[in-house]
Amino acid sequence: MFDLLMPLLKICRHDVLIDRFKSYFESIVCPAVISVCLCLQQIGDRTPPWKRPAMRGFYSKLDSSSLGMAMPLNLAVETEKAQALLQTFSTASLLASAGLGAFCFLADPFLTLPFIQHHLWLRAVLDNAVHGIIGLWSWAIVIGLRKKSDFYEVVLAGFLASVIDLDHFYTAGSLSLKAAVSLPHRPPLHCSTLIPALCFSLRLLMWACRLKDSWCSLPWMLFISLASHHIRDGIRHGLWVCPFGNTAPISYWLYVTITATLPHLCSVLMYLTGTRDMISTKHGVAIDV
């Protein structure tokens, strides 16, 4: 623009005017024109702020599949936490809990059939198998079955729920099943006070050994396995709360209700303690309950 006006100004031979106009043009007009152009460019740019390159480092696409766009990192983290908590009471988890309650309701009456009661070993094996199935079913509700390693965790939870009964043989000091089931007192692993003590001790051991965060759910698995076993045994003998003694026997419907809701309680506690976020965020594992 300035070059176009130069011939006209030279014709008028106003050298002073030319110098003043040139300085005015370079110091005021050019910056103003550039600013207006930049503003118009920003107004015409319909790209959302979170998709612009300058802001790429401050945004996350954790929820891009569900919302169709990326969102700020802190908002994405909070949304992921809320979704994890809502999944605790998802339709699939509620149906699985109802199935667990139905299994408890049908399994125990089945064990009272005469042909089972008349065979000591058959009764013991089936009773222990029910403990294991309840333990693995409960942990499956907590973590979901999304990959192969989840299946291994579920099997381990079932094993822990059933292996507790080996303390009967330890207390009896014999491999005789008759001696193991006719103890004058309850064996040590059936003390319900040990459940929080063992889980907390395991957590401290994991912290001392600096185990990976992928193992952070192990204390909760132990909690589910032990608690489900003790609650079922509480139908006949109550809970042994050392050093206070035994509680009254748990009613059957209360046992079914507690067993069906225990996985959800465990999931909420895992959410409140940050265990669920640690697994989901750091290892890319979305726990679907």
Side-chain angles (χ1 to χ4, degrees), residues 138-175:
S138 299
W139 189 244
I141 296 175
V142 174
I143 65 170
L145 294 175
R146 292 177 172 268
K147 54 188 186 304
K148 192 175 182 179
S149 60
D150 295 335
F151 177 77
Y152 295 147
E153 286 191 29
V154 167
V155 172
L156 178 59
F159 172 77
L160 292 176
S162 60
V163 77
I164 301 173
D165 280 336
L166 290 180
D167 65 347
H168 284 271
F169 297 96
Y170 171 79
T171 304
S174 171
L175 294 178

Side-chain angles (χ1 to χ4, degrees), residues 52-63:
R52 294 174 187 172
M55 301 296 291
R56 188 175 300 166
F58 298 92
Y59 289 83
S60 171
K61 294 186 178 180
L62 292 174
D63 297 298

